[in-house]
Amino acid sequence: MRRSLMIVTLSCALTPLAWGEFRVNPYLQQPSSDGMLFTWFTTTNTPGSIQITGPGLASPLSLGSSPTREIVLDYTTGEDVQTISGLSQGSWLVGGPGARDNNYKHSVDVRALQPGQTYTYTVTQGDQAYTREFRTAPTRTDWQSVRFVAMSDSEIEPLARTQRTQWAPGAGGQSRPAADSAFATKFGTATLNGATVLRYPLTESEGFKRNLNIVDSRNPDFVVMPGDIVQGGGYQPGWDEFFRHQAGEFGDNLSKRPLIAAMGNWEVFATGVNGGYSTNTEANPLNNGPRFGRMKYKSYIDAPSNGTDDHQDNYHRVDYGPVTIITLDSTNGGLPGGMNEDRRANYPAGTKLTGQQYTGPGTDTQENFTVDAYNATRVDAGYERYDFDDLSDFNPGSTQWNWARQQLADARAAGQIVFVQFHHAPYSDGEHGLPMNHAASSGQGGTPMRQYHSMFEQFGVAAVLSGHSEMFERSFVDENGDGVGVNYYDVGVSADGLRGERRVNEVAGADFYTRELLNYNPFSQWTADQSEAEQWELVDGVLQLVDGGKHYGHLEVNVERISSEVGDLFAQITLTPVYSFPVLDSEYNLLRTERRVYGDEIVLLVNADGRVVPEPATLGLIAGVALLALRRR
Ligand SMILES: [Fe+2]
C-alpha cells in the first residue's frame, strides 16, 4: 500500500510508483441518499473492482470497473524538462520524465444503498486493495445534522513542498519580527508591492496537509471547493500533487467524504510550461491553455448532469439531505461574437475609476482569452473528444443563468437550505475585488457575479462560498433591507496565498503601514487581515505569534435540525471560520498546529421553507435552548 511510504528527506523525494499501482486512490463525488460516485486512477489499463458492505447488504455489493485511457492527462514535453527549486528534477513525475500512457480512469456509480448510513468499500486492483468507510446522505425529511467544509485556492503543485507564501501583514503586523530577524532568516522574506514582508512559517504543502488534517478530525459529510484547487488546470504535476494530498500518499480526505468542486481561473490556465492562457500555442496537445485546463478538470471532476452536453461539469446541483449546493462556473463572461467580453484596455487612462468609485459590476471576470479565440483553435488527432465549445457565459439570459434560476426556484419550492459556490468572490476588499473599469483592477475582478445577488436574495440563499482574493472575508448584502440577506465568503485560504486587504498608494518603497486601506467593499463584515490582529509576544526570549493573524484554514458549516415545535423554525446554520495555528519552538521549528476559531462565527435560523429568517432575541433564546438538547456532535 502506498500510504505506508515514508517521506524521509528534506528534498521531498518520492518513491516512484511501481507500474500498475493506483495513481490516484479512490475518491468520492456526487453524494446522494442512495449512493456515491467512486473514481480512481491506475497506471495501467487493468480493470478493477469495488466491494461495498454495510446496512441492507446481506452480501457484499460487488461491481467491476472498465478503465478509460485519459490521454489529456499525459505529461507534456514542457513538464518532462521542468526544473523546480529544491526538488530533484522530475522526481514529482509519476513514472519519471518521459512517462506516457499511464493515466487510466475508473468510475463506478453506486445507487442502491440506504440513506444516512455508514458503509465500507474496498477497491481492488490486482493484488492491491484499498479500504475506507463512507456515509450516504440522509433524506430531506429524516436527518439531524449536516456538516460540511468550504475551502479553496489550494493551488497546489510540487513547488508547494518547498515554497513559503508571502505573508501579507495585517492588523498587528507592526509588531512582527524585523526583516533581519531570526524569523526572517528561517523562513525568508518577499517583496509585496514594493515592501519587504515575511514569509509564512509553513510551506504551502505542509500548510495544506495540516489544514486537511483538521478537516479530517471534524469528519464532515462533504467538502466544497470553489475553485483554484490546482496551480494550473492544464498542469499535470498540479493534479498529481492535489490528489497526493487528498487521495494519495499525503492524505486520504477525499477517500472518506465527497468533493463538490467548482472551476476557478487557475483551472482555465495551463501554467507557463504549457502555454498559460494562450489559445494558439504548441505547448500542449490541444493548442489551447484554457481548454487543456478545463479538459483535465473534467477528467477528474464529474458532476451530476445539468441538462446540457456542452456545459457538463461546469455548473451543477447536489442535494445532501436538506442541503442544496448549487455550483456555478464564474470563469468566463463572454459569448461568441464578442458579447459580454471585457478587458481593462477597454477603459483608456483618464476614464478609469479611482478610489472607491463604482459604476456597475461589469460582464467579464477575465481578459486573458475570448470565447471566439477559445472556440477557434484546432484540436490534434487523438484528442477529438475534447473538441466542443464548453465555455459557459454567466451573464443574465445565458444558459447558465437560466439554469441557476430554475434550480434555485426548484430548491426553494422543496424547502431546501441552499448554498451557492463559485470561484470569483463578488464582494471583496482584496486583490480581485475591483471591476474591470477601475484603475487598480487586477483584470480578474469578481464583481460581475454581483448580478446574481437579487436572484440569491429572492430565493433565500443562505450563503455564497467563493475564493479568489485568498483573504478569508465575510460580506453581507441585504438589498431590500428586511434584515435578511446573503452572506458571501472568500474561503480562499486552504494552502496557497495569505493575502491582505487592498491599500491605496501601492508604490515601491513606501512603508507598508503608511498606506491606507482602500476599503472598496462596503459590504465587508469581517476579514482575517483586519479583524484578527496578530498578537506577538516574547516567549522564552523569542518573539512569537501567540494568536490571531492570517493562516491557512477553512469555513466549517453545521446545519442542525431544530424541533419544529419552536415556532416556525426548522434548522440552525452555524458558519465557523477555522484556522490552523502553527506553534513554534524557540528556534522557530514547528511543534504542532492547533485548530482555532476566528471571532466571526455566525448563526442563521431557517424556517420550514428553508429560508433564513430574522432572529428576534426571544426566538433565538428558545432556539438556543432547544438546540442544546438536540446537538449531537
Ligand atoms: Fe482565483
Side-chain angles (χ1 to χ4, degrees):
M1 295 281 296
R2 273 196 294 144
R3 65 195 160 95
S4 66
L5 291 179
M6 297 284 287
I7 307 303
V8 292
T9 67
L10 284 177
S11 64
C12 304
L14 286 168
T15 305
L17 289 181
W19 212 239
E21 291 187 351
F22 286 109
R23 177 161 178 151
V24 176
N25 288 338
Y27 59 98
L28 314 183
Q29 297 180 96
Q30 299 188 32
S32 67
S33 58
D34 61 355
M36 195 74 75
L37 174 66
F38 297 82
T39 307
W40 65 96
F41 285 74
T42 53
T43 53
T44 58
N45 185 9
T46 310
S49 66
I50 182 168
Q51 275 206 337
I52 297 174
T53 57
L57 298 173
S59 58
L61 181 65
S62 190
L63 295 160
S65 68
S66 302
T68 56
R69 165 143 156 68
E70 298 298 296
I71 190 172
V72 79
L73 303 185
D74 273 1
Y75 292 125
T76 64
T77 52
E79 290 165 352
D80 284 337
V81 300
Q82 187 189 18
T83 58
I84 297 176
S85 174
L87 302 181
S88 160
Q89 203 275 323
S91 60
W92 57 89
L93 300 172
V94 178
R100 296 290 188 275
D101 190 16
N102 62 353
N103 267 297
Y104 286 86
K105 177 181 181 180
H106 305 246
S107 290
V108 178
D109 193 45
V110 178
R111 305 289 160 190
L113 307 177
Q114 294 179 357
Q117 300 289 346
T118 299
Y119 290 87
T120 300
Y121 73 88
T122 298
V123 171
T124 304
Q125 286 289 151
D127 58 0
Q128 297 182 58
Y130 185 91
T131 299
R132 289 291 184 277
E133 287 188 345
F134 72 99
R135 287 198 297 278
T136 51
T139 64
R140 65 177 50 154
T141 52
D142 183 14
W143 66 285
Q144 286 302 315
S145 65
V146 174
R147 171 179 292 170
F148 68 93
V149 158
M151 61 195 318
S152 71
D153 297 76
S154 41
E155 295 178 21
I156 207 72
E157 58 177 330
L159 176 63
R161 297 181 209 168
T162 59
Q163 181 163 275
R164 292 178 164 83
T165 198
Q166 55 189 24
W167 197 15
Q174 297 96 326
S175 305
R176 284 182 172 188
D180 59 354
S181 63
F183 191 104
T185 303
K186 180 100 178 177
F187 304 122
T189 58
T191 302
L192 177 60
N193 299 324
T196 300
V197 301
L198 298 175
R199 289 190 180 276
Y200 193 66
L202 274 59
T203 65
E204 295 167 6
S205 173
E206 190 64 29
F208 198 25
K209 289 176 195 167
R210 303 274 174 160
N211 197 7
L212 291 172
N213 286 345
I214 293 173
V215 171
D216 192 37
S217 75
R218 303 288 294 169
N219 198 16
D221 293 300
F222 58 93
V223 176
V224 165
M225 293 195 79
D228 282 7
I229 63 180
V230 291
Q231 192 90 357
Y235 178 54
Q236 189 56 34
W239 286 106
D240 293 338
E241 199 72 356
F242 179 78
F243 283 107
R244 282 188 187 108
H245 285 78
Q246 296 266 34
E249 51 237 81
F250 297 163
D252 63 355
N253 189 40
L254 296 182
S255 295
K256 298 189 279 194
R257 55 194 60 91
L259 169 67
I260 306 174
M263 262 186 273
N265 53 292
W266 275 100
E267 276 73 45
V268 299
F269 182 73
T271 77
V273 298
N274 292 328
Y277 285 114
S278 175
T279 50
N280 182 19
T281 177
E282 297 297 324
N284 65 68
L286 299 181
N287 301 296
N288 184 323
R291 191 196 300 275
F292 198 42
R294 292 172 76 91
M295 295 309 107
K296 282 177 183 278
Y297 178 93
K298 292 177 183 198
S299 176
Y300 286 114
I301 306 296
D302 290 307
S305 172
N306 57 26
T308 75
D309 288 331
D310 283 354
H311 296 173
Q312 175 62 32
D313 300 335
N314 296 4
Y315 45 89
H316 45 86
R317 170 178 170 181
V318 172
D319 284 8
Y320 197 98
V323 172
T324 291
I325 305 290
I326 289 178
T327 298
L328 300 180
D329 174 6
S330 62
T331 60
N332 176 69
L335 287 165
M339 190 177 165
N340 297 334
E341 302 278 7
D342 201 4
R343 58 199 179 112
R344 284 175 292 186
N346 288 348
Y347 310 94
T351 71
K352 290 177 186 287
L353 307 182
T354 59
Q356 296 177 341
Q357 290 178 332
Y358 176 76
T359 54
T363 59
D364 206 346
T365 49
Q366 61 89 20
E367 58 181 6
N368 305 101
F369 57 90
T370 65
V371 176
D372 287 338
Y374 180 94
N375 289 345
T377 52
R378 69 189 162 79
V379 171
D380 278 1
Y383 292 83
E384 288 87 353
R385 66 187 261 209
Y386 307 108
D387 187 15
F388 55 82
D389 302 338
D390 73 309
L391 292 180
S392 41
D393 183 36
F394 53 69
N395 281 284
S398 64
T399 306
Q400 177 172 204
W401 172 279
N402 294 335
W403 176 88
R405 173 174 285 278
Q406 193 176 45
Q407 296 306 316
L408 287 167
D410 180 83
R412 177 53 49 242
Q416 293 293 96
I417 300 166
V418 181
F419 298 85
V420 175
Q421 70 157 339
F422 51 82
H423 181 62
H424 295 71
Y427 304 93
S428 169
D429 266 328
E431 175 67 15
H432 299 303
L434 301 162
M436 205 69 91
N437 61 345
H438 193 286
S441 172
S442 65
Q444 299 189 334
T447 55
M449 296 305 285
R450 292 187 184 187
Q451 296 175 99
Y452 280 87
H453 174 76
S454 296
M455 190 194 297
F456 294 162
E457 189 166 328
Q458 177 192 342
F459 290 111
V461 170
V464 175
L465 310 163
S466 298
H468 199 38
S469 279
E470 304 181 345
M471 275 233 307
F472 224 166
E473 177 172 18
R474 181 174 66 86
S475 304
F476 180 72
V477 185
D478 174 14
E479 201 167 55
N480 62 10
D482 65 352
V484 177
V486 181
N487 284 282
Y488 288 84
Y489 283 90
D490 167 9
V491 297
V493 291
S494 65
D496 188 63
L498 293 170
R499 287 175 164 166
E501 294 193 15
R502 273 290 186 108
R503 292 171 185 263
V504 295
N505 304 323
E506 290 181 344
V507 292
D511 175 70
F512 201 86
Y513 287 97
T514 62
R515 306 164 179 183
E516 293 171 28
L517 295 169
L518 178 58
N519 287 323
Y520 193 76
N521 172 16
F523 304 99
S524 185
Q525 303 293 313
W526 171 87
T527 66
D529 185 65
Q530 290 301 310
S531 310
E532 305 286 346
E534 296 177 11
Q535 297 171 41
W536 293 88
E537 290 177 8
L538 281 174
V539 179
D540 297 331
V542 176
L543 202 52
Q544 297 278 14
L545 183 68
V546 296
D547 203 10
K550 290 188 295 290
H551 304 276
Y552 294 123
H554 54 265
L555 185 72
E556 180 178 306
V557 183
N558 285 284
V559 182
E560 293 161 293
R561 190 166 195 155
I562 301 174
S563 163
S564 59
E565 290 147 29
V566 185
D568 188 32
L569 291 182
F570 174 58
Q572 167 176 301
I573 306 168
T574 307
L575 300 119
T576 307
V578 175
Y579 63 109
S580 169
F581 185 85
V583 179
L584 310 178
D585 70 12
S586 60
E587 293 179 334
Y588 294 131
N589 298 307
L590 180 66
L591 291 174
R592 64 184 179 278
T593 46
E594 297 176 350
R595 180 185 188 270
R596 297 193 187 181
V597 171
Y598 284 127
D600 189 57
E601 182 172 86
I602 64 166
V603 177
L604 307 174
L605 295 174
V606 172
N607 68 15
D609 298 334
R611 286 182 181 274
V612 176
V613 296
E615 185 180 2
T618 49
L619 206 56
L621 193 63
I622 295 167
V625 171
L627 266 172
L628 281 178
L630 284 170
R631 208 179 278 272
R632 65 171 188 145
R633 282 200 264 195

